[in-house]
Amino acid sequence: MSTTKRLSKAERRNRRIRIGICIAAIIVLLLIAAVLFFQKKVRQNFASSKQDILSVEVSTGSISTTVSGSGALISDGIMDVTIPAGVEIKKVYVEVGAPVQEGDILASVDASSVLSALSDTQRKLDELDKQLADVSDNEVNSKIKTSMKGRVKVIFVEEGDDVSSVMYKNGALILLSLDGYMAVDLESTAYEVGDSVIVTTSNGTDYTGTVEKVTAEKTTVLIDDDGPLYQDTVTVGDSDSGTLYIHEELKITGYAGTVKSIKVSENSPVKASSTLLTLTDTSYSANYDSILKQRKDLEETLQTLIKLYHNGAILAPISGDIDSVSYNEDSSETDTQTQNDSSYESMVPSGTDAVSSQEEDSVLLSIDPGKRMTVSISVDETDVLALEVGQEVSLTIESIGELTYTGTVTEIDTSTASSSGGVTTYTATITLDKAAKMLAGMTASASIVIEGVDNALLLPDDAVRKTSSSAYVYTSYDESTGELGSMVEVKVGISNGSYIEILEGLGEGDKVYYTESRNNGFGNFNFGGGMPGNIPGGMPGNVPGNMPGGRNTPGGSGGMNFPGN
């Protein structure tokens, strides 16, 4: 039977020390290996080698920025051809896609239904004429008077002004002061009611004022209204100031007519019932304009019906292709009968009320003139303010070929925005001439030049390093160390993503050195599996400085900052 020798305490302690030393040595070796591996990766990713370094001279050329987008082509200028209310269609002679010339027969009509519609339209015109006669004598009083005495402080009108326009702009024609005072509010409350103060106007005239009211927020001072100007800036005492207003104001108003003469002047007193203004062009009625508009609409309908009766058919108003046919033959008979059965009396109210509009005309078909097309594109909020109606647009349609077409921005809709993923966009509409093979629904790509510079100093965009507040380039390269140097700060202009404009700092022909843009962040290092995450401090300081897109970084630090491009 074997026996195991029991170790003494000293032996067990020595054994633990040896094991600890071995573990520590292994850890140190692992750390050294990690540091060496890290250095290798840094050199591979950041050190400039001869084949990585590019050079370029500042050149002169043109550069521009653009707004791009795509959308579906839509036919522009499609015209609806309508059937007047009460007219019965006998036969439609065209189909969708058929070409037509102006004056071609689109559909035949029933002559008796046209005569009936003509009779109804003429009766409505006669009734409207009676209503116009009833209201034609209504007019605005040619004199504007005041019902109260006071003082004229402001006259907003001039001879020849339209009364309604002045009212829209100022809310009044004339302002009167009724109680004899102008007032000014002061922010200071260091006054008492009844105090006498000196009020100085902007032209240096002094008036004696009286404190009317003192609250926790302001003091109100009154002065005589004979002389001071409305809304003049005045000084009260040594330092307080405010704007004069009419203490008790009366607005003189009107709503129609043209100012013929002004019978008063500013600052003049007026008595009750005094004439302030005389007017011309005062014939007006709330119903008159509405009735007159209805009559004009009926005149156009009557002329259309006369042409229909003469031709016996609806003719094409323009040349083009039939885009759609809306007429439903199955429902036409019922609809027409309903229209003919409607009594005229039920459509015309009694008294002086305007005649209600006749039933809306129905659409027979639509004609595409085939001359223009539109495309709508989405524009980012950062670019939409740079767009203008009338700007030229280059368009391509991949399904047709590589041809480039020219269009124009015809509408910019900034009233409606669309947001997605934190980006807000607006819609711009582009119009272009329709060319061969263009079809509605095809996708068109648009490019709009929003800013351009000729004879600009240019560099590749990669050659310019940018920070949040500046931009710079390197103008020298040390082949022995592989380092870029002679950093020069530059002022840059517009960029198109490939080239950038140099405004200051360089001249034409100056040589610049750079490396192609690449992502130099630590997140892209591929260390493989199992690399320790905590790199100890005291790293050797031989990491190359002046790394692309970064800054000169000293060694010997526990955590280095290498900004990417």
Side-chain angles (χ1 to χ4, degrees), residues 290-551:
S290 176
I291 296 172
L292 192 60
K293 181 181 183 304
Q294 290 186 69
R295 195 185 195 287
K296 289 180 179 178
D297 291 341
L298 285 174
E299 289 170 359
E300 293 179 3
T301 300
L302 185 70
Q303 186 64 25
T304 299
L305 290 169
I306 290 173
K307 290 181 179 179
L308 276 180
Y309 185 71
H310 176 76
N311 297 324
I314 297 178
L315 307 182
I318 60 173
S319 299
D321 296 327
I322 303 299
D323 184 70
S324 63
V325 177
S326 305
Y327 175 71
N328 188 341
E329 187 175 356
D330 294 335
S331 62
S332 62
E333 183 175 351
T334 302
D335 294 342
T336 303
Q337 184 63 38
T338 301
Q339 294 168 357
N340 290 337
D341 289 345
S342 300
S343 64
Y344 167 70
E345 288 77 10
S346 66
M347 298 173 64
V348 182
S350 59
T352 58
D353 290 341
V355 175
S356 60
S357 299
Q358 64 175 6
E359 295 182 35
E360 289 187 1
D361 300 340
S362 59
V363 176
L364 172 67
L365 51 79
S366 299
I367 300 176
D368 179 2
K371 294 183 178 179
R372 296 183 303 176
M373 305 198 83
T374 64
V375 59
S376 296
I377 64 171
S378 295
V379 181
D380 189 271
E381 60 183 319
T382 58
D383 297 323
V384 68
L385 295 180
L387 293 186
E388 295 180 359
V389 172
Q391 282 179 316
E392 188 173 286
V393 185
S394 295
L395 301 105
T396 56
I397 304 169
E398 186 176 354
S399 55
I400 294 179
E402 298 181 356
L403 292 175
T404 299
Y405 305 93
T406 301
T408 304
V409 177
T410 51
E411 183 181 356
I412 304 169
D413 183 4
T414 55
S415 61
T416 305
S418 177
S419 297
S420 177
V423 177
T424 301
T425 58
Y426 299 86
T427 301
T429 301
I430 300 160
T431 301
L432 66 157
D433 292 336
K434 185 174 183 178
K437 299 183 180 180
M438 279 189 191
L439 299 175
M442 287 182 172
T443 299
S445 299
S447 177
I448 309 169
V449 176
I450 60 174
E451 186 179 11
V453 179
D454 294 326
N455 298 318
L457 295 177
L458 302 177
L459 278 177
D461 200 69
D462 287 347
V464 181
R465 305 303 186 196
K466 307 178 191 71
T467 69
S468 59
S469 59
S470 63
Y472 59 93
V473 298
Y474 293 109
T475 58
S476 68
Y477 168 56
D478 189 333
E479 293 186 5
S480 62
T481 63
E483 293 185 354
L484 300 173
S486 302
M487 189 173 73
V488 175
E489 186 170 344
V490 294
K491 182 178 180 181
V492 297
I494 64 175
S495 171
N496 62 9
S498 299
Y499 285 86
I500 190 167
E501 178 189 12
I502 304 298
L503 298 176
E504 296 178 7
L506 295 172
E508 185 177 4
D510 289 346
K511 181 173 285 190
V512 170
Y513 297 89
Y514 68 101
T515 58
E516 288 184 298
S517 177
R518 60 184 178 183
N519 191 336
N520 291 328
F522 280 128
N524 287 333
F525 279 156
N526 182 14
F527 291 110
M531 169 128 181
N534 296 321
I535 306 299
M539 183 182 295
N542 58 354
V543 178
N546 289 339
M547 288 172 289
R551 62 186 64 154

Side-chain angles (χ1 to χ4, degrees), residues 15-288:
R15 183 179 181 181
R16 286 197 297 269
I17 291 173
R18 288 195 298 271
I19 293 172
I21 292 173
C22 291
I23 293 174
I26 292 172
I27 292 173
V28 170
L29 290 174
L30 288 174
L31 291 176
I32 292 173
V35 169
L36 293 174
F37 183 83
F38 180 82
Q39 286 181 307
K40 180 180 179 181
K41 285 295 181 181
V42 168
R43 290 192 182 97
Q44 289 176 349
N45 281 272
F46 293 111
S48 298
S49 60
K50 291 182 180 180
Q51 60 266 29
D52 291 332
I53 298 299
L54 302 176
S55 65
V56 65
E57 292 185 356
V58 179
S59 61
T60 301
S62 298
I63 187 172
S64 62
T65 57
T66 61
V67 171
S68 301
S70 62
L73 288 173
I74 300 174
S75 296
D76 185 48
I78 293 178
M79 177 181 288
D80 289 337
V81 179
T82 58
I83 308 168
V87 173
E88 180 182 346
I89 298 296
K90 294 177 66 176
K91 184 177 181 180
V92 178
Y93 292 96
V94 292
E95 296 179 348
V96 174
V100 295
Q101 297 296 318
E102 182 178 349
D104 285 354
I105 294 178
L106 302 177
S108 59
V109 297
D110 179 70
S112 61
S113 67
V114 177
L115 279 175
S116 178
L118 277 167
S119 177
D120 286 345
T121 304
Q122 186 59 57
R123 284 202 304 270
K124 293 172 187 176
L125 283 168
D126 293 341
E127 178 61 25
L128 286 178
D129 288 342
K130 292 178 182 179
Q131 294 184 35
L132 285 172
D134 291 339
V135 299
S136 61
D137 293 334
N138 294 351
E139 64 178 26
V140 176
N141 195 319
S142 62
K143 295 181 180 180
I144 293 181
K145 300 182 178 183
T146 174
S147 59
M148 303 177 69
K149 69 175 183 178
R151 185 180 300 278
V152 177
K153 294 307 299 179
V154 185
I155 300 175
F156 292 116
V157 296
E158 296 180 357
E159 291 183 2
D161 280 351
D162 176 70
V163 169
S164 63
S165 297
V166 176
M167 285 294 301
Y168 176 80
K169 182 178 180 180
N170 302 289
L173 305 176
I174 293 175
L175 297 182
L176 296 184
S177 171
L178 299 181
D179 64 353
Y181 293 107
M182 301 293 285
V184 58
D185 292 332
L186 310 175
E187 293 183 0
S188 173
T189 58
Y191 298 90
E192 294 184 3
V193 175
D195 283 353
S196 180
V197 294
I198 299 299
V199 179
T200 304
T201 63
S202 60
N203 63 6
T205 303
D206 290 337
Y207 292 86
T208 300
T210 302
V211 176
E212 178 206 26
K213 181 171 58 177
V214 179
T215 67
E217 298 178 349
K218 66 180 181 180
T219 297
T220 301
V221 176
L222 303 182
I223 62 175
D224 192 287
D225 67 1
D226 187 6
L229 299 176
Y230 174 70
Q231 292 188 338
D232 187 25
T233 300
V234 298
T235 302
V236 179
D238 295 330
S239 58
D240 296 322
S241 63
T243 302
L244 284 178
Y245 61 90
I246 299 170
H247 184 245
E248 197 170 306
E249 177 186 277
L250 177 68
K251 292 182 178 180
I252 304 300
T253 61
Y255 66 94
T258 303
V259 177
K260 179 181 180 182
S261 62
I262 302 172
K263 299 297 185 180
V264 292
S265 59
E266 289 187 354
N267 214 49
S268 63
V270 293
K271 299 178 181 179
S273 301
S274 297
T275 298
L276 306 179
L277 304 170
T278 62
L279 308 176
T280 59
D281 304 325
T282 54
S283 296
Y284 178 82
S285 167
N287 290 327
Y288 185 86

